[in-house]
Amino acid sequence: MTADSNDRKSPWELYYGPNLGYIEEMYEQYLRNPDDVDPAVRESFEKWGPPPSVSAGSNVNVFPPLKVTTDGSNSIKTVDPAYLKKIVDAGKLVRNIRTFGHLAADNDPLGLTPAPDTRLIEPATFKLTDADLEGIPASLIWEEAPESISNGKQAIQHLRDVYTKSFGFEFAHIHEQDERLWLRRQAEIGMASKPMTAKERIALLQRLIDVEQFETFLHRSFVGQKRFSIEGTDSLVPMLDEVVREVAHDGARHILMGMAHRGRLNVLTHVLGKPYAAIFSEFHHSPNKDQDLFPSEGAIGINIGYTGDVKYHLGAHRSVKEGETVETRITLANNPSHLEYVNPIVEGFTRAAQDDRSKPGYPVANFGSAAAIIIHGDAAFAGEGIVAETLNFKKLAGYENGGTIHIIANNRLGFTTESKDSRSTYYASDLAKGYEIPIVHVSADDPEACIAAVRMACEYRQKFGKDFLIDMIGYRRHGHNETDDPETTQPLLYQKLRKHPVASVIYAERLKEKGFVTEEQVQALRREGLAKLQAALDEVKENDKAYKQPKADEVGSKRRKKDTVTGVPLKKLAQINEALLQWPEGFKVYDKLDRILKRRANTLNEGGKVDWGQAEALAFATILSDGTPIRLSGQDSERATFAFRNIVLHDVENNKTFSPMHTLPQAKASFAVHNSPLAEASVLGFEYGYNVFSPETLVIWEAQYGDFANCAQVIIDQFVTAGRVKWQEKSGLVMLLPHGYEGNGPEHSSAKLERFLLLAAEDNLTIVNMTSASQYFHLLRRQASILGTDEARPLIVMAPKSLIRNPSVASDPAELSDGSFKLVLEQPGLGKKADKVERLIFCTGKMAIDLEAALELKDGQAADAWDWLHIVRVEQLYPFPKTDVEQIIARYPNVKEVLWVQEEPQNMGAWNYVEPRIRARVKAGTTVRYIGRPKRSSPASGFHYIHTIEQQRIVSVALNRSKQN
């Protein structure tokens, strides 16, 4: 180069825009092969070096410096390796900031978290100096750096601000590339581009003041009463406000929410719109307000409506307008003290709100029409297994809902247990990583960050239709409840907490510093809020004399006693049966199954018999023809555990599936059947929620084995059996629980019939144990007929196992076309000579079939030698058929003894339930005895030969005239 040429300006400065882009393309081509470009252009590159980068601006050189050769010339082909290493190390630093920056995020309001090891996000770890970073173009380490950021130092500083200040982002566990990139862009550029307006900030401050004053007003006005204050996680209310606005704007017409008791009253009044006066009235008229000092939240409280529940377990509904005509309904689910068990209920609500069940086939889900929000506790999120079960619904076809917004109201304590003792994970939210749910950690004392996180969550849900979790880190200002002294277990924490200002004060100071509000405006907001609270309390006190305390036994009307006609004409049954046996052209069913199903073609003819599986299929089909949708789920429900249903068929050549229920010409509603995940509590909870939200749907949950209901006991105890009297929730849910002693050991014998009978009261359930296919047919149709009415109750079915294929259970077709479900059945061929009957046996379920087999009936008739005996099958145990039992006993004046015969141990099964009911209906002097297995701690023997001996003994004693138990 001559001195003259060095003084001249680079020709690249004359290019800009598309022309500069063209020069850059030529230069890239030149780097690959100099001979591929025009000699004049090649000469310019050799003389002037590379052109500037378009993206970085005309003054930034995105290419590494040239290494000086021994002859003093610049070689474009020789790059300084040390410089390349610095670029690579800077790239690693960027990746670490994105991945581990959350560890250093400033989102702990009390500073309780130990100082993290941040070496992975420090430039010094990679031996990078400020000068090194300044010499690296930003675009080399951050592809989407904005124009205002030109070098690596600026890029690193910006990314550290994004990932280590207000937000702790965890996105690295998201496998989908487009999702991960979108989340990263939102964090690095998107959130900063959407600052809150002055009007939004003032409204946010007002909301925080309302939240705070509501709690302090309750504390002063109702001293010593528990409310499970929100204080310490105050930002939850404006967060929920924002979720409601966002998802309603996106088209959701139902917003379904679930949360535990902490902060629930504040959410009820401010998000659900429950009037202050209504909540104050519950406190003011509490019958035990002066004695309610127990530390447990569920021990004592006010009862409102029916037998009721404490105030901080209750749900509510609210409708909000979007525009002129469209309305969004918000529902907060009722929730017991079993904290996270409301989660699957809410998921069931949401899917039910999304499903269109009006047409045949599977329901069509519109995920945008409803949204779920679940507020978790930090200790419960990590500690309760139901959380993982429910998160598993995220991508499952029968259970997904297009994305749930999860918020952990993280107060760093579980009752009195600190985080280090309640979980093994670093964060309370870590469980969600296994389900690829994005996580944002924010401080509850930074309400603007909380709102920004909500907006990101709602946008992600809208775009990708998946769950999102916000871990809002706060604290608990009082003890577990307001009567609890927290300093006995966390003295240092609460000494520090006394000096910590509340969120509204912190935010007000921030807004005053920025000039958005004045102190006078803040005080005016406080005065206005306090005046509303005082006016509501004054109203309650003024109306004190007119208030009437609800009665504890106010359980609503009982079911009407009437027979429901459930028979279907044989002609219609035959048409439906024929349609159920039609496969699509070319669809090849497994040969063995094809033969089994095709046997059903002639069972409705004279002399035919309808077995259990066919009776169920005909019941389903006729219910669909009546316009009632059906939803059936369980771990093997498509085929059924005992392979009797096969309602979804598989093509043996391509595994395509087909269900004749979906092409049934007579069907007027949807039919959904899903093989559920291997979880009982969450699936039963989901189905209960689905049914409560859509009471017109016949919803059936089928346990793989009846004893698996053990794993769903909380849902059964808290929701299925008690939801009606606690919260006026009406459900017609059906539970199919395979039950029966076939020598398969303790785990697969008993569905714990005794538990359901123990829980039966106030006309809350229907419990049956049937012995014929026609009874099952009529039972399902009876249940479908009462759905959506006040007659509906959960139906508990002790479903058969071996009886499914037992010829004695199959029914004559006429039994399906005529009649209805019978509460009791009398053994055919017995009891015809009333004056000769001396022993009357009552039994239920499979035991009746075992007794019948021992009678060795001929043409359905017993030998004359059995004149002394009559057997009655109690098909419905609850409500107990007392009228039928009384009438049968009265028919036999010479009965000396009445026996209850069962296969379960004496302390299990129905004996303890039926014994007083039978004894109350026999004549004085009549012996009432139990025949069955002795009392045991385990329901059945694990040895088949012992089972057989025991069963034979029960039958022998029951049928031997001379034997006494």
Side-chain angles (χ1 to χ4, degrees):
M1 276 184 195
T2 64
D4 179 57
S5 65
N6 280 329
D7 291 335
R8 291 169 53 194
K9 289 185 177 181
S10 166
W12 311 136
E13 294 182 19
L14 302 175
Y15 295 88
Y16 58 90
N19 291 330
L20 181 57
Y22 174 75
I23 295 299
E24 286 190 303
E25 290 180 10
M26 295 295 291
Y27 185 73
E28 290 175 4
Q29 189 174 349
Y30 165 79
L31 289 178
R32 289 192 296 269
N33 187 356
D35 294 334
D36 286 348
V37 300
D38 185 90
V41 176
R42 182 169 65 246
E43 182 179 351
S44 296
F45 288 145
E46 291 171 351
K47 183 175 182 179
W48 299 105
S53 168
V54 173
S55 61
S58 60
N59 295 322
V60 180
N61 184 350
V62 300
F63 297 99
L66 304 180
K67 186 176 181 180
V68 180
T69 60
T70 54
D71 62 359
S73 63
N74 289 335
S75 170
I76 197 69
K77 295 181 180 179
T78 309
V79 180
D80 186 356
Y83 183 76
L84 286 178
K85 185 176 187 308
K86 291 184 184 300
I87 295 173
V88 171
D89 287 344
K92 291 179 181 178
L93 177 59
V94 168
R95 183 186 63 195
N96 283 359
I97 291 171
R98 287 168 170 163
T99 305
F100 304 111
H102 59 86
L103 296 173
D106 182 16
N107 51 25
D108 179 1
L110 294 181
L112 299 175
T113 306
D117 183 352
T118 60
R119 287 175 293 176
L120 283 172
I121 60 173
E122 300 293 341
T125 301
F126 297 92
K127 298 180 180 178
L128 292 169
T129 65
D130 286 351
D132 292 333
L133 293 172
E134 287 174 348
I136 299 174
S139 60
L140 287 183
I141 60 174
W142 182 12
E143 302 85 346
E144 297 173 334
E147 291 185 4
S148 60
I149 295 175
S150 60
N151 61 52
K153 180 182 176 182
Q154 295 172 341
I156 294 299
Q157 185 56 52
H158 178 87
L159 292 174
R160 284 179 64 89
D161 287 347
V162 166
Y163 287 99
T164 67
K165 284 197 173 179
S166 297
F167 304 97
F169 294 111
E170 290 195 89
F171 305 145
H173 56 282
I174 307 298
H175 293 163
E176 293 291 337
Q177 176 79 351
D178 59 337
E179 292 180 33
R180 194 169 61 253
L181 291 177
W182 183 89
L183 289 163
R184 202 170 73 191
R185 290 190 193 105
Q186 289 295 306
E188 296 170 3
I189 301 172
M191 298 178 89
S193 67
K194 304 170 190 173
M196 296 182 70
T197 65
K199 184 178 180 181
E200 288 175 327
R201 287 183 165 110
I202 294 171
L204 176 55
L205 174 61
Q206 182 173 9
R207 199 57 152 171
L208 290 172
I209 289 173
D210 290 343
V211 169
E212 174 214 340
Q213 288 187 323
F214 174 76
E215 297 290 356
T216 55
F217 190 84
L218 283 177
H219 198 65
R220 292 195 306 269
S221 303
F222 304 102
V223 178
Q225 288 209 58
K226 296 177 295 187
R227 68 182 190 277
F228 297 93
S229 157
I230 201 173
E231 293 165 278
T233 53
D234 306 49
S235 294
L236 176 64
V237 167
M239 289 173 76
L240 293 176
D241 289 337
E242 189 66 23
V243 176
V244 169
R245 278 192 292 269
E246 291 282 340
V247 298
H249 177 75
D250 290 335
R253 296 298 158 249
H254 289 278
I255 298 173
L256 297 312
M257 295 172 51
M259 67 180 299
H261 48 279
R262 183 156 311 284
R264 192 179 186 93
L265 295 180
N266 218 305
V267 170
L268 279 169
T269 190
H270 290 123
V271 182
L272 276 295
K274 188 171 184 177
Y276 287 151
I279 291 178
F280 294 164
S281 178
E282 293 170 6
F283 278 93
H284 184 68
H285 297 109
S286 174
N288 54 312
K289 59 187 176 185
D290 296 326
Q291 293 80 33
D292 191 8
L293 303 176
F294 291 84
S296 172
E297 72 274 9
I300 298 181
I302 20 188
N303 293 328
I304 62 167
Y306 290 163
T307 58
D309 200 356
V310 289
K311 51 193 169 288
Y312 33 78
H313 291 174
L314 302 177
H317 302 276
R318 173 195 171 200
S319 294
V320 295
K321 291 279 188 178
E322 268 288 311
E324 293 299 317
T325 58
V326 180
E327 194 172 76
T328 299
R329 184 169 174 81
I330 310 170
T331 299
L332 176 63
N334 300 296
N335 190 47
S337 292
H338 296 70
L339 303 178
E340 300 286 335
Y341 279 82
V342 76
N343 299 358
I345 310 293
V346 172
E347 300 289 339
F349 282 177
T350 307
R351 183 57 183 265
Q354 295 169 340
D355 278 352
D356 179 358
R357 295 171 289 276
S358 62
K359 297 178 181 177
Y362 279 103
V364 178
N366 175 6
F367 292 151
S369 65
I373 310 168
I374 300 179
I375 298 96
H376 307 271
D378 52 305
F381 192 85
E384 295 286 350
I386 193 72
V387 177
E389 287 189 26
T390 307
L391 292 179
N392 191 43
F393 290 151
K394 176 173 169 260
K395 290 185 179 180
L396 303 184
Y399 308 88
E400 62 181 331
N401 63 25
T404 296
I405 304 295
H406 301 270
I407 301 174
I408 296 179
N410 191 340
N411 58 38
R412 319 290 288 276
L413 287 170
F415 203 93
T416 65
T417 303
E418 296 181 27
S419 299
K420 63 183 176 62
D421 296 318
S422 68
R423 67 172 189 264
S424 297
T425 57
Y426 187 83
Y427 291 117
S429 57
D430 281 346
L431 174 67
K433 292 180 183 177
Y435 297 93
E436 294 190 58
I437 298 173
I439 301 167
V440 178
H441 307 277
V442 288
S443 168
D445 279 358
D446 189 349
E448 289 189 19
C450 291
I451 297 301
V454 164
R455 290 175 177 175
M456 174 188 269
C458 292
E459 287 184 36
Y460 177 83
R461 178 190 175 276
Q462 177 70 8
K463 185 174 182 63
F464 298 104
K466 294 182 180 178
D467 293 25
F468 196 102
L469 188 148
I470 302 170
D471 178 19
M472 179 187 56
I473 303 168
Y475 54 87
R476 190 184 71 196
R477 186 158 288 275
H478 303 283
H480 177 64
N481 62 65
E482 290 67 34
T483 68
D484 181 29
D485 183 358
E487 292 198 45
T488 60
T489 51
Q490 278 81 30
L492 297 181
L493 166 62
Y494 280 90
Q495 290 169 22
K496 187 173 187 177
L497 196 50
R498 286 199 208 100
K499 304 173 185 177
H500 187 76
V502 297
S504 65
V505 171
I506 294 172
Y507 191 54
E509 290 300 317
R510 187 183 306 171
L511 294 188
K512 284 192 290 183
E513 289 174 7
K514 294 181 178 180
F516 288 110
V517 294
T518 64
E519 177 62 23
E520 291 74 20
Q521 288 174 307
V522 173
Q523 292 306 318
L525 291 175
R526 290 188 172 278
R527 286 193 298 273
E528 290 171 11
L530 193 59
K532 292 177 185 177
L533 291 163
Q534 188 61 53
L537 181 59
D538 292 344
E539 177 188 343
V540 170
K541 290 180 177 178
E542 288 173 9
N543 297 330
D544 189 48
K545 293 181 180 179
Y547 179 83
K548 293 182 180 180
Q549 185 71 31
K551 295 179 180 179
D553 59 351
E554 197 174 290
V555 297
S557 59
K558 296 214 169 194
R559 281 177 279 190
R560 297 185 300 273
K561 306 299 180 184
K562 68 170 188 176
D563 288 334
T564 303
V565 177
T566 51
V568 178
L570 272 177
K571 183 178 180 181
K572 181 176 180 179
L573 288 175
Q575 292 171 343
I576 286 176
N577 190 53
E578 182 179 359
L580 291 175
L581 298 175
Q582 301 300 313
W583 325 144
E585 186 175 352
F587 192 89
K588 296 186 177 180
V589 179
Y590 177 49
D591 287 344
K592 179 180 178 182
L593 179 58
D594 184 84
R595 291 193 300 272
I596 292 172
L597 293 176
K598 291 292 176 63
R599 289 176 194 160
R600 296 178 177 178
N602 301 315
T603 54
L604 295 176
N605 297 336
E606 186 176 352
K609 289 286 186 178
V610 177
D611 66 12
W612 194 272
Q614 187 177 10
E616 181 188 74
L618 291 171
F620 286 165
T622 56
I623 290 168
L624 293 175
S625 73
D626 292 337
T628 299
I630 298 173
R631 177 183 167 92
L632 166 65
S633 82
Q635 285 155 22
D636 303 284
S637 286
E638 292 182 358
R639 187 200 75 167
T641 299
F642 306 103
F644 73 89
R645 181 174 295 127
N646 296 296
I647 214 160
V648 174
L649 305 175
H650 292 254
D651 191 307
V652 295
E653 294 185 351
N654 53 34
N655 205 36
K656 289 183 178 179
T657 58
F658 163 74
S659 175
M661 292 291 170
H662 294 156
T663 57
L664 190 71
Q666 295 86 350
K668 299 174 185 174
S670 66
F671 178 82
V673 56
H674 299 287
N675 286 340
S676 74
L678 189 62
E680 288 76 34
S682 59
V683 177
L684 179 59
F686 186 101
E687 304 306 342
Y688 173 84
Y690 195 106
N691 177 239
V692 167
F693 196 91
S694 60
E696 81 289 352
T697 305
L698 182 63
V699 180
I700 304 171
W701 176 68
E702 180 178 53
Q704 190 177 55
Y705 287 90
D707 60 288
F708 288 1
N710 289 343
C711 300
Q713 201 62 49
V714 171
I715 299 294
I716 294 167
D717 290 351
Q718 299 296 332
F719 293 93
V720 176
T721 64
R724 186 182 183 93
V725 295
K726 289 197 295 186
W727 312 310
Q728 303 184 41
E729 281 184 351
K730 297 175 183 178
S731 169
L733 176 72
V734 179
M735 293 174 59
L736 300 181
L737 307 177
H739 176 86
Y741 282 49
E742 280 95 4
N744 290 326
E747 269 67 60
H748 299 323
S749 295
S750 177
K752 298 295 183 181
L753 172 61
E754 63 280 359
R755 287 186 185 169
F756 293 97
L757 293 173
L758 188 66
L759 293 166
E762 300 178 288
D763 200 19
N764 64 330
L765 300 171
T766 302
I767 304 173
V768 301
N769 193 10
M770 304 158 299
T771 59
S772 81
S774 62
Q775 283 281 82
Y776 185 39
F777 173 86
H778 290 297
L779 178 72
L780 290 174
R781 288 187 50 78
R782 184 184 75 170
Q783 186 71 1
S785 72
I786 60 175
L787 294 173
T789 73
D790 195 54
E791 303 295 298
R793 301 291 193 280
L795 171 62
I796 313 301
V797 181
M798 298 290 111
K801 296 183 292 181
S802 63
L803 296 192
I804 286 171
R805 294 179 177 83
N806 191 313
S808 297
V809 173
S811 299
D812 188 282
E815 294 177 20
L816 277 63
S817 61
D818 301 325
S820 59
F821 179 78
K822 303 300 181 186
L823 305 183
V824 298
L825 292 177
E826 299 183 58
Q827 176 62 51
L830 288 183
K832 289 186 275 187
K833 298 178 181 179
D835 57 336
K836 292 190 175 182
V837 174
E838 298 178 357
R839 178 180 293 177
L840 191 56
I841 291 178
F842 286 94
C843 58
T844 187
K846 175 177 166 289
M847 193 69 245
I849 304 301
D850 288 351
L851 292 172
E852 181 183 77
L855 293 175
E856 297 180 348
L857 301 178
K858 292 184 179 180
D859 299 324
Q861 300 299 311
D864 291 341
W866 296 108
D867 283 351
W868 59 276
L869 176 70
H870 192 38
I871 300 175
V872 180
R873 307 174 184 182
V874 181
E875 301 280 289
Q876 177 176 295
L877 288 156
Y878 186 87
F880 188 72
K882 57 183 180 180
T883 301
D884 300 73
V885 170
E886 286 173 354
Q887 291 175 351
I888 290 170
I889 291 175
R891 282 211 319 262
Y892 300 100
N894 297 323
V895 165
K896 297 178 180 178
E897 57 179 355
V898 176
L899 273 54
W900 176 260
V901 182
Q902 67 179 38
E903 52 189 347
E904 302 89 350
Q906 186 173 0
N907 56 319
M908 302 179 192
W911 165 244
N912 289 324
Y913 166 79
V914 300
E915 188 266 340
R917 289 165 173 80
I918 291 175
R919 193 176 296 279
R921 288 167 176 83
V922 299
K923 293 185 299 183
T926 304
T927 300
V928 177
R929 290 199 294 129
Y930 164 83
I931 305 293
R933 288 172 170 80
K935 295 179 181 179
R936 284 183 177 154
S937 57
S938 179
S941 171
F943 301 99
H944 191 274
Y945 74 93
I946 292 179
H947 158 79
T948 302
I949 292 172
E950 289 179 334
Q951 200 72 5
Q952 289 174 347
R953 183 194 65 81
I954 293 170
V955 173
S956 175
V957 172
L959 299 182
N960 192 317
R961 193 171 189 177
S962 61
K963 285 190 177 180
Q964 299 294 316
N965 191 26

